[in-house]
Amino acid sequence: MSKEGLPQIEKVDATGLRVAVVTATWNADICDVLHERAVSTGRAAGAQVAEFRVVGALELPVVVQEAARRYDAVVALGCVIKGGTPHFDYVCDSVTAGLTRIALDESTPVGNGVLTTLTHEQAVERSGAEGSVEDKGAESMIAALSTALTLRQLRDE
């Protein structure tokens, strides 16, 4: 698992920040957990959280881009599980490149919580579900909020 090397982040005070959570509905059992964990983490940190849904991972970038123009940070959540065709590689590459470009073009943090796994079991282990070893919904929210706070500090100088 990729949890190795994850920094310990103290609780983030995101009071006054507005964050959008954009979640795919494909692989709903996984995405619903990611979504709930991100939203609850954002609210616990004091952020105002808006929630949006799209069908699949490929639909995330266009909605994330619009949200990045309106919010202090955005969290993109989805789950792509490898099948027997190269489609997995195209989807993962497209989504990652799109989300990175949006963050840079809009100067808005985008927490990338799109799981890219080989199996459904790996996705469950990373989703934040009870008993899982990782919590990518919460981690993506913390990363986005922390980055938004750093940008606010830089812009206030």
Side-chain angles (χ1 to χ4, degrees):
M1 283 291 152
S2 61
K3 187 143 182 102
E4 293 177 23
L6 181 69
Q8 290 292 72
I9 299 174
E10 299 299 319
K11 184 177 180 201
V12 174
D13 181 1
T15 303
L17 289 181
R18 296 176 63 236
V19 60
V21 177
V22 183
T23 306
T25 57
W26 203 279
N27 294 311
D29 62 319
I30 302 297
C31 290
D32 289 349
V33 174
L34 291 168
H35 185 86
E36 184 278 322
R37 295 296 304 135
V39 169
S40 64
T41 299
R43 290 188 176 139
Q48 295 176 24
V49 180
E51 303 174 54
F52 304 94
R53 295 291 186 135
V54 298
V55 173
L58 284 175
E59 290 74 41
L60 287 167
V62 68
V63 176
V64 168
Q65 184 171 42
E66 188 62 31
R69 294 175 177 151
R70 300 169 185 241
Y71 291 87
D72 298 306
V74 183
V75 176
L77 303 169
C79 178
V80 185
I81 299 171
K82 188 170 179 124
T85 69
H87 184 69
F88 172 84
D89 298 316
Y90 300 130
V91 171
C92 296
D93 289 346
S94 294
V95 172
T96 300
L99 296 178
T100 300
R101 193 187 96 212
I102 292 160
L104 295 172
D105 289 353
E106 302 299 334
S107 295
T108 302
V110 176
N112 183 346
V114 179
L115 302 182
T116 55
T117 64
L118 299 176
T119 66
H120 183 268
E121 292 75 24
Q122 287 176 339
V124 170
E125 284 296 310
R126 299 177 74 202
S127 71
E130 187 175 331
S132 64
V133 296
E134 295 184 74
D135 189 348
K136 292 301 180 189
E139 292 169 18
S140 299
M141 176 60 77
I142 294 297
L145 293 175
S146 292
T147 305
L149 290 169
T150 300
L151 286 172
R152 178 180 277 176
Q153 180 183 3
L154 282 168
R155 291 170 181 158
D156 287 346
E157 288 184 344

